Amino acid sequence: MKHIFQQGTNPAKPTFLMLHGTGGNENDLLAIAAHIDPEASVLSVRGNVSENGMPRFFKRLSEGVFDMEDLKFRTEELHEFIGQAAEEHGFDRGNVIAIGYSNGANIAANLLFTYSDALKGASLHHPMVPNRDADLPDLTDVLVFIAAGTNDPICPAEESTDLEKLLKGAGAKVELHWEDFGHQLTMPEVEAAKDWYDKL
Ligand code: MLT
């Protein structure tokens, strides 16, 4: 997959897996990674799907309605890619924290819904429940931050509260954070994500 890898200065720090929103690319979230922990390594990936020229991580049938077959295929593809990238760039596969926005948060959530050991943690910004039929793996010790907007027209409140419930039910430690904004990725929620990360 097309990506940027930046070697961190402290090998004990995690590798941030940065996953952009629809129409974004691997450059979009680099400043957020650097803000959250400038010593961490960064693997920032571009989604392999194009929706009228807009990169995405999986196909959708319409706004908020996912192509479940493609979501499964692309989740497996991303999972395999992280393993390959760990070998190629020499980072610790067991110490990967995803930071995803919107479509990127949705595929990160689906990595959690599919594999018990894909991610050590995840900061999910404006995610939805990726698959309501999933039987979640054991997520004990997985650390999740969810940032949601009370006026988010794409993610109604129950998308965030249901996601929190499902992840907690699988054993993950989840913090759900609300801002009175819409679907945009805001600086206050990035600061809240940094506070969450600093306490890990
Ligand atoms: C999705 O398709 O993943 C969600 O609707 C969010 C987005 O617009 O990308």
Side-chain angles (χ1 to χ4, degrees):
M1 298 181 77
K2 194 164 167 40
H3 68 282
I4 293 170
F5 180 75
Q6 294 175 346
Q7 179 72 56
T9 53
N10 183 345
K13 293 293 181 82
T15 295
F16 290 146
L17 172 69
M18 308 306 289
L19 302 166
H20 61 79
T22 299
N25 64 43
E26 65 278 17
N27 293 296
D28 286 6
L29 303 178
L30 293 176
I32 289 176
H35 184 70
I36 291 185
D37 189 346
E39 295 185 342
S41 294
V42 179
L43 177 67
S44 190
V45 186
R46 182 184 298 193
N48 259 349
V49 164
S50 169
E51 183 183 276
N52 305 318
M54 295 187 297
R56 282 179 55 85
F57 287 96
F58 56 89
K59 291 183 195 158
R60 62 180 163 184
L61 306 176
S62 60
E63 178 69 63
V65 183
F66 302 158
D67 177 332
M68 298 309 288
E69 207 176 303
D70 193 60
L71 174 60
K72 181 174 186 294
F73 174 76
R74 297 293 170 190
T75 302
E76 290 168 2
E77 179 184 55
L78 178 59
H79 185 245
E80 204 172 303
F81 171 73
I82 303 164
Q84 285 166 4
E87 278 181 31
E88 185 187 335
H89 299 294
F91 63 82
D92 178 358
R93 178 65 189 86
N95 195 9
V96 175
I97 293 183
I99 303 178
Y101 167 58
S102 190
N103 182 244
N106 291 338
I107 198 158
N110 205 50
L111 279 172
L112 296 173
F113 273 39
T114 309
Y115 305 100
S116 63
D117 58 354
L119 301 170
K120 182 179 168 193
S123 185
L124 305 176
H125 298 261
H126 306 268
M128 298 170 67
V129 175
N131 180 0
R132 289 193 176 264
D133 298 324
D135 193 6
L136 271 66
D138 180 6
L139 295 175
T140 308
D141 296 332
V142 176
L143 307 156
V144 183
F145 178 80
I146 300 173
T150 52
N151 297 306
D152 187 335
I154 294 171
C155 304
E158 59 271 20
E159 290 294 330
S160 313
T161 52
D162 288 355
L163 183 59
E164 178 191 30
K165 236 178 275 164
L166 289 165
L167 291 169
K168 277 188 174 167
K173 285 199 185 65
V174 187
E175 186 177 318
L176 173 56
H177 175 86
W178 292 95
E179 297 284 343
D180 286 332
F181 293 109
H183 195 62
Q184 69 268 37
L185 179 52
T186 66
M187 210 47 215
E189 79 188 55
V190 171
E191 293 301 347
K194 181 167 167 52
D195 289 347
W196 164 82
Y197 172 81
D198 286 342
K199 283 184 285 180
L200 296 182

